[in-house]
């Protein structure tokens, strides 16, 4: 099982980016999915998460600007980032709790995608 993240890049302050993270391999089911980020010198922090039923949770710093969503048929989670700020600059990591066989659930992480917000 792998998680492949994409969509990072350079954006101007006030701009937008959309991150995607797709799961592949033998997947029986996916529970929670989400995004963390880590800026240089900082610890990794939760950005947003979404349950299998669609309930969402956001860090206070991104509420009202970021939107997390998922497509269960595609084993994919998205992060729409609007009104970007320089402090959003970080490497963004996706994760998912995946059922790899009956009764076995494992946390997986994507490889990280760099988001840089700068003029």
């Amino acid at each position: 099982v792998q998680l492949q993240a994409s969509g990072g890049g350079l954006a101007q302050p006030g701009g937008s980016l959309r991150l995607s993270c797709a799961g592949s391999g033998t997947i029986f089911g996916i529970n929670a999915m989400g995004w963390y980020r880590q800026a240089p010198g900082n610890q990794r922090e939760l950005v947003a998460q979404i349950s299998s039923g669609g309930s969402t949770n956001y860090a206070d710093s991104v509420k009202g600007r970021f939107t997390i969503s998922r497509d269960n048929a595609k084993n994919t989670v998205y992060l729409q980032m609007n009104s970007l700020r320089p402090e959003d600059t970080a490497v963004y990591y996706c994760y998912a709790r995946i059922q790899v066989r009956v009764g076995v659930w494992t946390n997986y992480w994507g490889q990280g995608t760099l988001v840089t917000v700068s003029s």
Side-chain angles (χ1 to χ4, degrees):
V1 174
Q2 287 187 330
L3 292 178
Q4 181 67 44
S6 61
L10 176 64
Q12 291 189 339
S16 298
L17 286 172
R18 189 189 194 213
L19 305 183
S20 299
C21 177
S24 62
T26 302
I27 297 175
F28 281 65
I30 301 180
N31 195 341
M33 305 182 82
W35 295 90
Y36 278 72
R37 68 186 180 187
Q38 187 168 19
N42 290 356
Q43 291 187 332
R44 191 175 294 191
E45 62 175 0
L46 175 67
V47 176
Q49 61 186 17
I50 184 167
S51 71
S52 57
S55 297
T56 58
N57 183 41
Y58 296 93
D60 287 343
S61 58
V62 307
K63 283 181 181 177
R65 301 188 298 121
F66 291 10
T67 302
I68 189 170
S69 61
R70 62 191 285 172
D71 185 332
N72 292 329
K74 296 181 179 180
N75 295 327
T76 299
V77 62
Y78 306 97
L79 186 67
Q80 178 66 43
M81 304 185 294
N82 298 330
S83 302
L84 283 163
R85 303 168 180 170
E87 54 263 39
D88 294 319
T89 296
V91 177
Y92 285 69
Y93 298 90
C94 61
Y95 80 90
R97 185 160 179 79
I98 298 175
Q99 186 180 22
V100 297
R101 55 183 182 271
V102 176
V104 178
W105 293 83
T106 304
N107 293 331
Y108 287 88
W109 291 87
Q111 83 281 13
T113 184
L114 177 63
V115 171
T116 303
V117 183
S118 174
S119 56

